[in-house]
Amino acid sequence: MKYTVITGASSGIGKETAIYFASKGHNIIIVARRKELLNNLKKEIENKYKVKVLIYIYDLTNINNVLKFYQKIKDYQLEILINNAGFGDRNDPWDSDLHKIKMMIDLNITSLTYLSILFIKDHINKDSQIINISSTAGYKIWKGGVIYSATKFYVSVFSEGTAKLLKNKKAKLKMKVLAPSSTKTEFVERSIIKSKVNPKLLKESEIKRKDYQKEPKLVAKYIYELYKSDKNIGIVDATKNILYLEDQYFDDL
């Protein structure tokens, strides 16, 4: 029995991705911090799509939990790993709360890197995929959240570079990266926790963002389209409901 693994699946893009892949017949392994939300999602998916859903409750900002989680799932037949878990911070770097920044880096970068490497070691010669969720802020610096943007630049570079190395080695495993633009999730609420940005400027900014925010269901569809494609990169247009599929940008590896 094959499984698709999705991190950060209790809400937003992760939740909708679990539902979308289940609708296509995939058995699902989901992990997040909020047990009740995962239990509700499991019931919803299993009742509607008749696939198997396994849930794990871990805070992946803790690297020990990342290792424990992988040890729990590694003996299943894992077909796809979707590293979706992550959050942002809306601050100038010097105004940022250091504890929050550490947690963001641990989740957006360290957790994603560890899970990717562990998965590659076990699946490099298997028909499988890793899809890492970056952001359009991982290709163009977001001045409203420079440190967040830097974490997503890491995700983009790590994913594209590793994808090219795997291709050069003729590995069966493929690594891909999806960069969504602004999406209607809990991202905004979490990013402004401990924010020192002028509340009036925050409100004006979010009003503008709502004009072109994507529904998470649409992003989930784009993740599936990237999975089915022979491309390694999916860029979601910031103002249009369009997904652009690309090859690697790094040709000098």
Side-chain angles (χ1 to χ4, degrees):
M1 184 178 288
K2 296 180 180 179
Y3 285 90
T4 293
V5 183
I6 304 166
T7 69
S10 59
S11 65
I13 293 172
K15 175 184 176 180
E16 295 300 337
T17 301
I19 293 171
Y20 197 90
F21 273 73
S23 75
K24 301 297 183 180
H26 290 250
N27 300 299
I28 306 293
I29 295 175
I30 49 179
V31 59
R33 296 173 296 120
R34 294 177 287 185
K35 183 177 182 179
E36 183 178 357
L37 293 179
L38 289 188
N39 279 329
N40 291 340
L41 181 58
K42 173 183 169 70
K43 291 176 184 176
E44 177 184 350
I45 289 175
E46 289 187 337
N47 289 339
K48 188 170 184 179
Y49 298 112
K50 310 305 178 186
V51 298
K52 182 70 174 176
V53 179
L54 305 178
I55 66 172
Y56 292 88
I57 313 303
Y58 285 109
D59 179 353
L60 297 182
T61 63
N62 183 324
I63 194 59
N64 290 324
N65 287 342
V66 174
L67 299 174
K68 288 177 185 177
F69 169 61
Y70 190 76
Q71 286 300 314
K72 291 281 188 180
I73 67 171
K74 65 177 295 185
D75 292 331
Y76 289 104
Q77 190 174 356
L78 307 180
E79 181 181 22
I80 311 164
L81 168 63
I82 301 175
N83 277 312
N84 166 74
F87 67 90
D89 183 58
R90 184 72 188 272
N91 267 311
D92 291 326
W94 52 88
D95 285 332
S96 299
D97 178 83
L98 290 178
H99 178 67
K100 183 182 180 184
I101 292 303
K102 180 185 183 301
M103 292 179 65
M104 183 174 70
I105 291 172
D106 287 344
L107 185 60
N108 294 9
I109 293 179
T110 309
S111 171
L112 177 143
T113 304
Y114 272 52
L115 285 175
S116 294
I117 290 173
L118 291 168
F119 194 90
I120 291 170
K121 287 178 180 292
D122 289 340
H123 298 84
I124 191 168
N125 292 315
K126 298 177 182 178
D127 288 321
S128 51
Q129 291 190 27
I130 299 173
I131 301 177
N132 290 329
I133 306 304
S134 181
S135 168
T136 51
Y139 288 93
K140 185 176 181 180
I141 298 172
W142 176 38
K143 65 180 180 180
V146 170
I147 300 177
Y148 167 75
S149 193
T151 68
K152 291 302 185 176
F153 266 83
Y154 174 89
V155 174
S156 300
V157 172
F158 171 71
S159 302
E160 289 187 37
T162 304
K164 192 62 176 284
L165 291 170
L166 289 168
K167 184 177 181 179
N168 289 347
K169 291 182 179 294
K170 295 180 169 41
K172 290 185 177 180
L173 170 67
K174 293 180 175 62
M175 180 175 275
K176 300 179 179 182
V177 58
L178 185 91
S181 53
S182 183
T183 308
K184 295 177 183 177
T185 67
E186 296 174 347
F187 175 87
V188 171
E189 287 77 8
R190 193 167 183 186
S191 68
I192 63 175
I193 293 173
K194 298 183 178 180
S195 175
K196 293 185 179 181
V197 178
N198 184 308
K200 182 179 178 181
L201 294 177
L202 276 177
K203 186 176 181 179
E204 291 174 353
S205 173
E206 294 315 314
I207 289 173
K208 292 178 181 178
R209 285 163 62 86
K210 285 180 180 179
D211 289 340
Y212 55 84
Q213 281 187 322
K214 306 291 184 294
E215 293 290 342
K217 289 181 180 180
L218 181 62
V219 177
K221 176 177 178 288
Y222 288 159
I223 293 171
Y224 189 81
E225 289 179 11
L226 178 61
Y227 157 65
K228 296 295 286 185
S229 81
D230 60 356
K231 304 296 185 181
N232 295 105
I233 304 164
I235 306 290
V236 180
D237 185 271
T239 57
K240 302 175 183 177
N241 291 335
I242 298 175
L243 173 67
Y244 295 99
L245 296 171
E246 306 284 352
D247 291 316
Q248 292 94 348
Y249 293 139
F250 300 128
D251 294 324
D252 58 343
L253 292 176

